[in-house]
Amino acid sequence: MRILSFFERSARTFRQSSPYSRFLVLFAVSTGGGLGLVAYSDAKSDHPSVEAKKKKVLVLGTGWAGTSFLKNLDCTKYDVQVVSPRNYFMFTPLLPSVTCGTVEARSIIEPVRRIINKKNGDIKFWEAECLKIDPKNKKVHCRSNHDVHVEGKNEFSVDYDYLIVAIGARANTFNTPGVTEHCHFLKEVDDAQRIRRSVMDCFERASLPDLSDEERKKKLNFVIVGGGPTGVEFAAELHDFVTEDLVRLYPVLRDLVTISVIEAGDHILSMFDKRIGSFAEEKFHRDGIDLKTGYMVVNVSDKDITMKERQNGVVHSLPYGMVVWSTGIATRPIILDFMKEIGQANRRVLATDEWLRVEGGENVYALGDCATIQQRKVMEDITAIFSIADKDKSGTLTADELKEVLDGICERYPQMELYIKQKQVSDLVDLLYGPNGKNGTKELNIEEFKAALAEVDSKMKFLPATAQVAAQQGTYLAKCFNKMEERELDPEGPPRIRGTGRHRFRPFRYKHLGQFAPLGGEQAAAELPGDWISIGHSTQWLWYSVYASKQVSWRNRMLVISDWGRRFIFGRDSSRI
C-alpha cells in the first residue's frame, strides 16, 4: 500500500509539473533514474518557504507605465499581481487612426495575459476596477467587471507590500456644461470605435432625401475642441478619410463637409516648436480645415456649441453634427480620494519624488499620467548644500571644494543643468567663480552662494503627460525593483543632502526622444533631439517606421503594417461596424 501511495503522489506531481520538467522525468525514466527524480519533485513541494518570502507587488493599470514596468520587472523575485479594468495594452498614439479605419482596433492592442505568459514567474491578473486605496492597511479594494458570485457580490480586496499606481487620467471637461452628455472623447478604443460609427451616421443622415442643403451642412460639420497633438491628428485623419474615401461614396455631399478645430490658445500644437505650429496652421488652411484659435467653449447643447472669443468676450454659436473633445487630462476620482488619505488634498495631481515614490505613502509608487514628479528645489537645500561642500568648515567655499560635490549636486537637481546651459557656461564652477576663480583664490560665503543661485529653480519643468514619459518611468522603476536588495548594500545614487550616506538609486531622468505630429496628406512634422525639426512627406515615412517599431509585439507590428498596406491599396473601410 505504501508503494501504491508513493506512485500516486509521484503521478500527481508529474501532472502538475511544467512541460520541461516532464521531459526531464521521462528522460530520467528511460535511463533508469525516474524514481529518484519523481521523489525529488515530491520532496520539493514540502518546502514552500522560499515562495512565501517574496514581497507582493501590486500593479494598478495596464497602460504605458504599468505594461512597461511589467515587461522589464524580474518577476521571479516578487509575487506580482495586476489589476486593471481592461485586459489589454493599447498603443495610444495610433488611436486617432482607428477613428477613421486607417488602422483596425485589434491591431493596436495586445492582451495582458499574452504579455504575462512571456514572463518567468507566477503573475496573477484580475480584470477589475480599483475602488479605493487603503495605504494604512496596505490594501486595495476592487470591483470585478463580471458578476462572479451567485449573490451578486463582485467586490474583493488585494494586499500588497509594494503598490504601483499607474491608472492614467481621465478627459478634462473643465466643468463645461453639456460636454459629458454630447461630446466624444478619445482616450480608449471604445471611444475611437464610437467616433467611427458617429462619422458614418452623420453621412448617412445627411444623405437622406428629405433634408435641405442647410440641414445637411449642419450634420456634416465635424468639430474638434482642442488644438493639441490628439485633436490635430484626428482632424488630419478625418480630412483624409473624407477627401480620399467618403467623397467617392457620397459624391452629392462633397462640398457640404466642414471640419472645425477650436483652440483656446493663439496657436495649435503650442507644445511643439513654433515652426511646426506655423506649418500645421498653413496646411490646415490650404486643406480647408477651419481653425478657430482664441475661442473658449462655454456650453455644448445637443445641436450647437457656444464659444466665446478670449480677447473681446463676443459669444458665437456653431451648429455641429459631431463633437470630439480633446482638451487635456484630469485626475481620476480614486486618485483624488487617495490624495486626501495621504495628506495631498490641496494638490491637483498626485505628487511623487524623483524616485517615483508617492509623498506621504509607504512603499507606494506612482507613474504615468496619474502623477507628477515634485522636483526638490535647490533653494530649499541651499544651506545644506553649502555645508556639505564646505568640508573645512571655514564658512567660505572654494572652487576646489565645490568640484568634489559638483556631480552629486547636478544629478540631484536637474534644473541646475538647465540653468548652466542658459547661462552658456561649461559647469557650475565656471558660473560661480568665473574663469579667473578656478585657481582657488576666490571664495564665496553663504550669502554670495545663495545670491548666485537665486534663480536656478525658475528652470524647473514638469514632465509632459505622454506615452514616452510613462514608458520610461515604468522601465526605470522596474530596474530599481530588480536591484532593490543589491542597492541596499551598495547604493548608487547621489549623496544625501539632508542626512548621511547615499541614495539607493539614481533619480529618474526623462530622455526626450522626439515627438511627431501627423498632419494628413502623407505629411508629418517631427521635433527630434538636438533641436532638429523635420517636416514633410519624408517625415511621414519616418513616422511609419518609428511607430511600427514601437509596437509591443511582432504580432502588432505585422497587423499595423498590413493595415497601412491595405489602406494604400483598397482605401479605408467605411462600414459602420
Side-chain angles (χ1 to χ4, degrees):
M1 290 298 292
R2 265 194 266 173
I3 296 175
L4 180 61
S5 176
F6 171 79
F7 276 107
E8 287 178 351
R9 290 199 310 270
S10 300
R12 186 168 57 253
T13 302
F14 178 79
R15 288 194 301 269
Q16 294 174 352
S17 62
S18 66
Y20 179 70
S21 300
R22 295 176 193 174
F23 172 78
L24 289 179
V25 171
L26 292 175
F27 178 79
V29 169
S30 66
T31 57
L35 295 179
L37 265 174
V38 174
Y40 170 75
S41 299
D42 190 56
K44 184 179 178 181
S45 66
D46 294 333
H47 299 281
S49 57
V50 177
E51 295 294 328
K53 292 180 180 179
K54 290 184 178 180
K55 296 286 187 179
K56 294 180 180 179
V57 176
L58 176 57
V59 182
L60 301 181
T62 54
W64 281 94
T67 301
S68 179
F69 176 80
L70 282 174
K71 290 187 67 177
N72 291 277
L73 180 68
D74 184 355
C75 297
T76 61
K77 295 183 177 181
Y78 299 95
D79 179 8
V80 183
Q81 303 165 106
V82 185
V83 174
S84 176
R86 65 187 191 196
N87 68 344
Y88 56 85
F89 164 79
M90 174 181 59
F91 191 84
T92 50
L94 286 179
L95 205 54
S97 298
V98 176
T99 62
C100 299
T102 306
V103 171
E104 292 300 322
R106 291 190 180 276
S107 300
I108 67 167
I109 64 174
E110 179 76 359
V112 173
R113 295 187 184 276
R114 187 189 295 268
I115 296 173
I116 289 175
N117 286 342
K118 296 178 182 178
K119 301 286 294 182
N120 294 324
D122 184 20
I123 308 175
K124 302 179 182 67
F125 171 76
W126 297 293
E127 187 178 5
E129 181 183 359
C130 180
L131 298 177
K132 182 182 178 181
I133 299 173
D134 184 0
K136 293 181 180 179
N137 299 311
K138 290 191 173 182
K139 288 180 179 290
V140 173
H141 300 278
C142 308
R143 179 173 57 216
S144 170
N145 290 349
H146 315 282
D147 292 330
V148 295
H149 297 295
V150 177
E151 297 85 359
K153 297 179 181 178
N154 56 355
E155 295 185 4
F156 61 94
S157 62
V158 184
D159 299 329
Y160 68 84
D161 294 306
Y162 297 103
L163 178 63
I164 314 299
V165 183
I167 62 176
R170 59 186 175 91
N172 194 348
T173 65
F174 298 98
N175 296 320
T176 306
V179 171
T180 304
E181 295 82 2
H182 305 296
C183 295
H184 292 279
F185 301 108
L186 193 48
K187 293 286 292 179
E188 302 289 342
V189 169
D190 291 342
D191 297 333
Q193 292 175 324
R194 279 192 290 267
I195 290 173
R196 182 173 177 176
R197 289 192 292 268
S198 183
V199 170
M200 298 315 306
D201 286 344
C202 289
F203 273 86
E204 291 297 342
R205 284 197 295 265
S207 62
L208 294 175
D210 58 343
L211 298 179
S212 65
D213 284 350
E214 188 64 28
E215 290 174 319
R216 289 190 174 96
K217 284 183 179 180
K218 291 180 181 179
K219 296 186 181 300
L220 293 176
N221 187 13
F222 301 95
V223 180
I224 298 97
V225 182
T230 302
V232 167
E233 185 173 351
F234 170 69
E237 282 279 356
L238 181 60
H239 177 267
D240 286 353
F241 187 29
V242 172
T243 57
E244 296 175 5
D245 300 280
L246 295 184
V247 293
R248 301 176 183 176
L249 303 176
Y250 305 87
V252 179
L253 307 177
R254 177 188 297 269
D255 300 323
L256 302 179
V257 180
T258 304
I259 300 174
S260 303
V261 178
I262 302 175
E263 167 60 34
D266 296 328
H267 300 281
I268 61 174
L269 298 178
S270 58
M271 67 292 300
F272 282 79
D273 186 275
K274 291 182 179 180
R275 290 170 287 179
I276 292 178
S278 298
F279 179 84
E281 290 176 2
E282 293 173 3
K283 185 181 185 304
F284 275 19
H285 284 308
R286 290 196 306 269
D287 292 341
I289 297 176
D290 184 18
L291 286 179
K292 298 182 181 296
T293 56
Y295 286 84
M296 296 180 62
V297 176
V298 295
N299 185 69
V300 181
S301 70
D302 59 342
K303 295 181 180 179
D304 54 29
I305 289 178
T306 304
M307 53 188 178
K308 180 173 64 175
E309 289 190 51
R310 193 161 45 87
Q311 291 183 347
N312 51 31
V314 177
V315 177
H316 301 269
S317 180
L318 179 67
Y320 69 85
M322 185 190 76
V323 181
V324 174
W325 188 272
S326 178
T327 60
I329 59 175
T331 306
R332 294 185 184 274
I334 181 178
I335 296 297
L336 294 175
D337 294 338
F338 176 56
M339 290 165 63
K340 293 177 183 178
E341 290 272 344
I342 60 175
Q344 293 192 24
N346 297 327
R347 298 186 55 83
R348 292 190 303 172
V349 65
L350 187 62
T352 72
D353 62 13
E354 299 90 328
W355 292 269
L356 308 183
R357 299 173 300 193
V358 174
E359 297 178 359
E362 182 183 358
N363 291 339
V364 181
Y365 299 79
L367 48 163
D369 295 352
C370 68
T372 185
I373 295 176
Q374 190 71 12
Q375 175 61 49
R376 192 163 182 85
K377 296 181 179 180
V378 171
M379 295 309 294
E380 290 179 354
D381 299 331
I382 192 71
T383 303
I385 294 172
F386 186 89
S387 178
I388 290 174
D390 183 20
K391 291 188 175 181
D392 61 2
K393 306 303 177 185
S394 63
T396 58
L397 198 61
T398 65
D400 291 336
E401 288 177 321
L402 183 60
K403 288 177 184 178
E404 293 185 20
V405 297
L406 183 60
D407 292 339
I409 292 174
C410 290
E411 186 176 15
R412 183 68 176 82
Y413 306 95
Q415 62 266 39
M416 192 79 76
E417 295 181 1
L418 298 175
Y419 188 64
I420 291 171
K421 183 178 179 181
Q422 184 202 31
K423 293 296 183 179
Q424 298 181 344
V425 294
S426 59
D427 55 30
L428 186 59
V429 176
D430 237 359
L431 176 65
L432 296 179
Y433 296 90
N436 299 326
K438 287 189 174 184
N439 55 12
T441 58
K442 183 179 179 181
E443 299 184 4
L444 296 177
N445 59 35
I446 182 63
E447 296 303 325
E448 292 172 327
F449 191 63
K450 287 180 179 179
L453 298 177
E455 299 179 2
V456 68
D457 290 322
S458 64
K459 299 301 160 189
M460 292 174 57
K461 293 183 178 181
F462 290 104
L463 296 178
T466 62
Q468 190 175 156
V469 172
Q472 290 186 25
Q473 288 178 337
T475 301
Y476 163 82
L477 190 60
K479 291 180 178 178
C480 291
F481 269 70
N482 293 342
K483 298 180 180 179
M484 190 80 76
E485 295 182 1
E486 178 184 342
R487 291 296 171 241
E488 287 285 354
L489 302 175
D490 183 23
E492 64 177 5
R496 296 181 184 273
I497 300 300
R498 298 181 181 274
T500 59
R502 306 178 72 89
H503 291 279
R504 283 185 299 175
F505 303 101
R506 295 185 176 90
F508 171 74
R509 288 290 176 266
Y510 168 61
K511 184 178 181 181
H512 185 60
L513 302 178
Q515 52 187 347
F516 287 91
L519 303 174
E522 292 302 312
Q523 294 190 65
E527 186 176 1
L528 303 174
D531 296 327
W532 181 39
I533 303 300
S534 178
I535 301 173
H537 295 283
S538 59
T539 309
Q540 179 68 27
W541 286 100
L542 178 63
W543 178 86
Y544 283 133
S545 61
V546 169
Y547 276 28
S549 65
K550 291 296 182 180
Q551 296 299 313
V552 72
S553 68
W554 276 103
R555 166 186 169 273
N556 291 116
R557 291 188 187 99
M558 297 305 296
L559 288 174
V560 167
I561 293 173
S562 64
D563 286 345
W564 286 334
R566 172 187 50 76
R567 196 266 297 179
F568 275 115
I569 299 172
F570 302 108
R572 299 170 180 83
D573 182 18
S574 60
S575 63
R576 193 183 176 278
I577 299 175

